[in-house]
């Protein structure tokens, strides 16, 4: 059998990273880790405890509470992927709301949060055979990953995708609100001091504004096959 590799998928929000990563993990029999879910779960914790709202952010208290936060992924066989648990509660639905999306970039800026999550992520990937998606996977978490993908698409394409998803879930949001959130997160994600979103030098960029899911999957799967043959 081919050797297992590490696949790092980074890129802007709503570029379809998780859809691609899940498809790859399923096909290859790899573990899939959605690191955005981990930053979202910490943000949800901060919201639930009143450490963050529209007007203020009590960073110190959140940082002090980090050792009490337990994050786990538990595989759900019915869905075919792992769900996020925050202190033993399934928070898969709560972490995907627009409220969490509004605060998550601020939480993800904190170096103490990043240090904790990067350590957990490195541990999860130590045996390879993993597809991890996020913003800093190819640059910080797995700089030696055998395959690094950097995904992009126009802001309006991405906002439309996220808007459709939220509507399907029954959230009442306007397209303008979603677009504004996508643009704000792009700005914060690329300008923050800690691990800003940048393309790793050796990452392969895929702009999927005009690609179907099947087309992107085909492109990346052939890259995986090429790499696993040569190692
Ligand atoms: O992929 P996502 O939209 O669920 O990610 C949520 C937020 O978490 C995003 O605004 C940036 C942050 N994030 C990060 O800073 N580093 C990661 N590895 C993953 C996500």
């Amino acid at each position: 059998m081919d050797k297992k590799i590490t696949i790092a998928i980074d890129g802007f929000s709503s570029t379809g990273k998780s859809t691609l990563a899940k498809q790859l993990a399923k096909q290859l029999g790899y573990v899939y880790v959605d690191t955005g879910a981990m930053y979202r779960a910490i943000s949800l914790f901060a919201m639930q405890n009143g450490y963050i709202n529209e007007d203020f952010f009590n960073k110190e208290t959140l940082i002090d509470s980090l050792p009490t936060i337990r994050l786990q992924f538990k595989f759900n066989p019915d869905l075919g992927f792992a769900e996020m648990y925050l202190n033993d509660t399934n928070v898969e639905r709560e972490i995907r709301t627009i409220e969490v999306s509004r605060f998550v970039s601020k939480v993800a800026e904190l170096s103490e949060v990043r240090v904790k999550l990067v350590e957990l992520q490195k541990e999860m990937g130590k045996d390879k055979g993993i597809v991890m998606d996020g913003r800093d996977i190819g640059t910080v978490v797995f700089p030696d990953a055998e395959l690094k993908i950097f995904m992009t698409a126009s802001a309006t394409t991405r906002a439309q995708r996220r808007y459709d998803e939220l509507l399907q879930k029954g959230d009442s949001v306007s397209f303008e609100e979603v677009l504004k959130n996508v643009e704000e997160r792009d700005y914060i994600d690329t300008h923050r001091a800690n691990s800003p979103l940048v393309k790793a030098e050796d990452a392969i960029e895929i702009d999927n504004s005009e690609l179907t899911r099947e087309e992107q999957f085909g492109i990346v799967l052939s890259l995986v096959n090429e790499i696993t043959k040569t190692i």
Side-chain angles (χ1 to χ4, degrees), residues 10-14 17-18 34-40 43 95-96 100-101 104-109 114 118 121 132-137 141 162 185-186 188-189 192 194-195:
D10 289 301
F12 290 93
S13 65
S14 304
K17 297 183 296 295
S18 62
D34 170 3
T35 63
M38 301 169 79
Y39 289 92
R40 286 172 179 273
S43 309
I95 59 170
R96 312 284 169 194
V100 171
S101 299
V104 63
S105 288
K106 287 191 184 132
V107 170
E109 271 183 313
R114 303 204 73 84
V118 167
Q121 290 153 10
M132 194 174 274
D133 77 17
R135 304 293 188 286
D136 57 347
I137 313 305
V141 183
R162 184 54 65 106
R185 283 204 289 153
D186 284 359
I188 301 178
D189 289 349
R192 67 171 173 238
N194 284 316
S195 312

Side-chain angles (χ1 to χ4, degrees), residues 66 70 78 88 101 106 118 149 156 166 176 180 184 193 200 212 218-219:
L66 287 175
R70 204 154 76 96
D78 296 334
D88 298 318
S101 299
K106 287 191 184 132
V118 167
I149 303 291
T156 35
L166 290 168
E176 288 67 33
K180 189 165 162 262
E184 275 171 6
T212 64
I219 294 169

Side-chain angles (χ1 to χ4, degrees), residues 89-125:
T89 302
N90 183 334
V91 290
E92 193 55 38
R93 201 189 133 68
E94 289 94 321
I95 59 170
R96 312 284 169 194
T97 59
I98 190 104
E99 286 74 30
V100 171
S101 299
R102 243 182 243 134
F103 299 125
V104 63
S105 288
K106 287 191 184 132
V107 170
E109 271 183 313
L110 300 178
S111 58
E112 291 82 355
V113 169
R114 303 204 73 84
V115 166
K116 176 182 169 101
L117 296 191
V118 167
E119 196 185 305
L120 285 171
Q121 290 153 10
K122 285 189 176 187
E123 177 65 24
M124 290 174 190

Side-chain angles (χ1 to χ4, degrees), residues 134-150:
R135 304 293 188 286
D136 57 347
I137 313 305
T139 49
V140 177
V141 183
F142 299 127
D144 298 328
E146 289 85 354
L147 178 59
K148 299 180 187 178
I149 303 291
F150 190 81

